[in-house]
Structure formats: structure tokens, C-alpha cells
Amino acid sequence: GFRDGVDFGGMGGYRGGDCAQFEGVDFPLDPDWAAATRPTVSASASVGASSSSAVGASVYGTGWAQRHLRQHQFPESCKGQEFVEHGMFRSGIGSNMHIGAAVFAFALNTGRIYAWPEDDVHNPWTLGKDKKSTVECPSGKQTRSYECYLKPITSCTPDGKGPRFTGVAKERGKGKIKGADVVPNVFKPLLKCSGYPKDYWRKWWRAQAAAFFLRLAPGTRAELAEFRRAALVESPPLGVG
């Protein structure tokens, strides 16, 4: 799970009062990550522990934020939900995740669920060598979306009626996002409590979105572990053990 309690130069740390709701929320990002990847604060560490005594502490509000994203994307019922579909552009995975954070913020700000389309035909990382088929997906799900490698980002299936942002401009419809530095409104009270400069808020959000997106499917973790054993002299257990 996540614990956030490190104060660094007046930023982060526990503030209490109206901010207490965002603080000390221990929420597991992904139970399949190796324990060494994100150790929690030790049982002996007190609330508001300093960086010297807190082990594996995360940026301010991570537990609360990840819990909120999980509840939003995996609702008790998908009935009546609205969606924003995000297809990928022909660029690197990091670039796709960066833009994904902006589209995800748009979805949150408009009360919609963020989803990857099954027919993500412009995603270069799921296209087979023959340029016609789908790669052999380690997740076990044959799809052109990033669920080829990652765990699902929602429990709902989009109905095709909402805004759709893809890698080709003419396919995007009329929906527009003003820039890539959108921060979801729901997290702004949390960020005011954090003490982080406003210029850092977009970086905080990109980190939260990346943490939510990049939850590796078990098959992907297994392939990465095998690659590390074959390619590295020493293979530290960075979440793929």
C-alpha cells in the first residue's frame, strides 16, 4: 500500500484539520507488485513521521488519489455511465501515457469513465510484424489496446457514444482538450493541502495517472522477469518478481 507522510522543504507531510481526509490513506496500488517495490511505513513509525523513519513513503495524497481513481473507474454498476475513449498515437509508450493523463483528467472533470477502445488501430505497440494482425499479447487478451500488456483500467465497456480521442485528428470528433497540463478538479483541494507549488500540480497528476495505468498484467510481469534473468547479472525485484 501507500503511505504519504514525508515532509520535504515544507511540502508534503501531515497537516491535519480539513486536510486530514487526504492523509495517511493506505491503499494498495496493485497486490501483484513485489513487496520490495513499495514497502509501507513500518508499524513503529508514527503518523507524521520524518523522511528518515518513513520507509517507502509516496508523494502527498497518493493513497487517497489512487483509491478515488479505482472507485471511479470500477463502479458498482456500469449502467448509465458515460465514457471517454482514448486511442493511442504513433509514438512512444511514455508519450501515450503523458497524453493519457490529460484525457483522463478530461474524463474526470466531465463525470465520465476513461477507457481504451478495443479497436485501437493506431497503437503501434500492439501491431503485429505483418502490419495486419495483433501481437501475441502477454496479458492473454488479444486486443489492440494497452490491455495487451496491462491490467484493465475499468470494469465497464464503453458504449461508443461519448467523446473519442484517437491518434488521427479526423477521427476525434468535436471534443477538445486545452493542452496536456490538465489537472482533475477533484484533486485540487488535496493539492492545496500538499504545499506543492501550483507549477508542480501537473507533475503530481501525471505520476498518479502513470501509477494507475501501468499495472502490468501477470503475463507481462513474467516476461519481464525472464528477460531480466537472461539479460542482467543481478536482477533486483522491481515489481516483476
Side-chain angles (χ1 to χ4, degrees), residues 40-176:
T40 60
V41 175
S42 62
S44 60
S46 61
V47 172
S50 68
S51 58
S52 60
S53 61
V55 180
S58 61
V59 296
Y60 185 91
T62 291
W64 193 93
Q66 292 296 323
R67 183 180 66 187
H68 180 85
L69 294 178
R70 179 76 186 186
Q71 291 171 345
H72 178 84
Q73 292 290 115
F74 292 81
E76 292 184 2
S77 172
C78 296
K79 185 177 180 180
Q81 298 289 345
E82 296 183 347
F83 303 89
V84 173
E85 292 183 74
H86 177 213
M88 302 303 161
F89 190 66
R90 298 184 183 93
S91 58
I93 295 175
S95 174
N96 286 164
M97 296 299 111
H98 169 69
I99 300 302
V103 181
F104 199 179
F106 173 83
L108 289 165
N109 286 345
T110 56
R112 297 180 173 100
I113 290 175
Y114 173 92
W116 291 329
E118 291 284 344
D119 58 335
D120 194 2
V121 296
H122 303 296
N123 190 335
W125 303 102
T126 57
L127 182 63
K129 290 183 178 180
D130 60 5
K131 306 299 182 182
K132 296 179 181 179
S133 62
T134 302
V135 298
E136 191 67 29
C137 293
S139 69
K141 179 179 180 178
Q142 288 303 111
T143 176
R144 286 298 307 277
S145 82
Y146 275 128
E147 282 190 29
C148 181
Y149 306 104
L150 306 174
K151 289 186 174 182
I153 56 168
T154 179
S155 56
C156 301
T157 301
D159 56 14
K161 296 179 181 179
R164 183 180 173 102
F165 298 92
T166 74
V168 177
K170 65 181 181 180
E171 298 176 3
R172 294 176 192 162
K174 297 180 180 179
K176 291 185 178 181

Side-chain angles (χ1 to χ4, degrees), residues 200-212:
Y200 284 20
W201 288 12
R202 66 184 187 277
K203 299 177 182 179
W204 177 95
W205 165 239
R206 289 174 193 165
Q208 299 298 340
F212 187 80

